[in-house]
Amino acid sequence: LVAYGRSGQLEKAEAARAAAEQHLKERGGWNEGALDDLASGCLEGGLLRWAVSTYDEVIALHRQTARPSSRGDGTLSEYYGCLARAHAGLGDTTAAVEAAAGAVVCWGRDLGSRRSATETLVQVLRDAKDLDAYVAGLDKQVAETRLDSPIVRQALGRVYAERNAHDQAVVQFRKALAGQPNDDETHRALVASCDALRWPEEAVTQLLDLGELMPRDLDVRRELCRRLAALQKPQEAERAATALVEAAPH
């Protein structure tokens, strides 16, 4: 299937896929492992619509049989990541982002693995040819449902920042913080975009919020002192320095 697909012989690739499905069903091998292999073959062989439908079936089967774990579900996250790639290949940004966000959520509190899955989401948005249109559709959906995704908003901010569209990045980072105010990574990214736009007052405001979030982070306190002094706000700088002394262990 993959060999035919990569050599551009899509009709033969489809015939190979159909033969594999028939063989598996006749032999009683239509299970999660076999479906995963077939879905992967469809993805790598360029049969993207079949990849989408097969991964949808794999995900549904896995959800029925897998035991919940506090460590997250790496297998399900991988399925969603592959589904995101298939949707992205078809140019369906909305479905690709939804699947990639699902890959992130599957990891629960496992932050290290969540970061890896987040990169899939960011890559989907990087590759989107209609990013502004996607954002407009997302904003409309949020206005109707009152439900937003901080994960997606932060990823959007990162992509806009990479494109030096920092004004748009700021909008997305702020929306991410509205739903997830304790995310220090988003706070720092927002400060960086404010710096890129030469908005020193806004950057200081964001650092103040970050200082409240991370009161024992001495580097944040030092940075606040430096920036407030540069803005010629000696009283605020003195308060920041006093807070730095109080936060220091010795």
Side-chain angles (χ1 to χ4, degrees):
L1 192 162
V2 174
Y4 281 136
R6 289 184 176 178
S7 60
Q9 303 177 70
L10 295 182
E11 289 187 3
K12 290 185 177 181
E14 163 54 24
R17 188 214 63 79
E21 179 178 345
Q22 181 180 355
H23 173 80
L24 290 167
K25 288 181 175 178
E26 288 177 351
R27 299 294 179 91
W30 195 247
N31 53 46
E32 182 178 335
L35 277 167
D36 178 25
D37 287 340
L38 186 57
S40 177
C42 290
L43 179 60
E44 299 303 325
L47 300 181
L48 298 181
R49 296 192 184 282
W50 280 109
V52 167
S53 62
T54 309
Y55 272 117
D56 282 340
E57 191 170 350
V58 175
I59 289 169
L61 182 60
H62 182 82
R63 285 188 175 279
Q64 290 174 6
T65 57
R67 293 181 179 180
S69 171
S70 59
R71 298 179 181 178
D73 191 331
T75 300
L76 186 58
S77 180
E78 183 178 347
Y79 291 160
Y80 272 120
C82 292
L83 179 60
R85 286 175 55 199
H87 279 302
L90 291 169
D92 190 344
T93 301
T94 300
V97 170
E98 183 178 347
V104 177
V105 172
C106 286
W107 279 111
R109 297 181 180 179
D110 189 334
L111 298 182
S113 299
R114 280 171 66 96
R115 290 182 187 280
S116 176
T118 298
E119 290 306 312
T120 300
L121 171 59
V122 172
Q123 190 59 51
V124 165
L125 293 169
R126 284 192 189 112
D127 295 341
K129 298 178 181 179
D130 54 349
L131 187 61
D132 290 341
Y134 167 74
V135 172
L138 177 62
D139 289 341
K140 182 179 179 182
Q141 176 184 326
V142 171
E144 293 172 351
T145 64
R146 305 289 183 182
L147 297 174
D148 206 348
S149 171
I151 295 170
V152 173
R153 294 295 188 179
Q154 188 208 48
L156 282 167
R158 284 181 56 184
V159 173
Y160 276 125
E162 291 172 358
R163 297 180 179 184
N164 288 322
H166 288 284
D167 52 342
Q168 292 169 287
V170 165
V171 172
Q172 298 305 320
F173 286 139
R174 284 176 174 165
K175 289 182 177 180
L177 288 173
Q180 196 166 296
N182 294 332
D183 189 343
D184 66 293
E185 185 177 342
T186 304
H187 280 282
R188 296 179 192 277
L190 182 48
V191 170
S193 284
C194 288
D195 285 341
L197 292 166
R198 297 182 180 179
W199 293 352
E201 297 278 357
E202 288 81 354
V204 164
T205 299
Q206 207 57 48
L207 275 172
L208 285 167
D209 290 343
L210 184 57
E212 292 294 324
L213 177 63
M214 306 179 68
R216 297 297 177 183
D217 191 318
L218 303 186
D219 289 336
V220 173
R221 300 287 185 182
R222 292 189 184 96
E223 184 66 14
L224 267 173
C225 293
R226 183 188 69 79
R227 288 177 182 253
L228 288 167
L231 289 172
Q232 298 184 352
K233 294 185 175 182
Q235 292 181 339
E236 289 88 339
E238 183 177 346
R239 282 198 294 269
T242 302
L244 173 61
V245 173
E246 292 174 346
H250 302 294

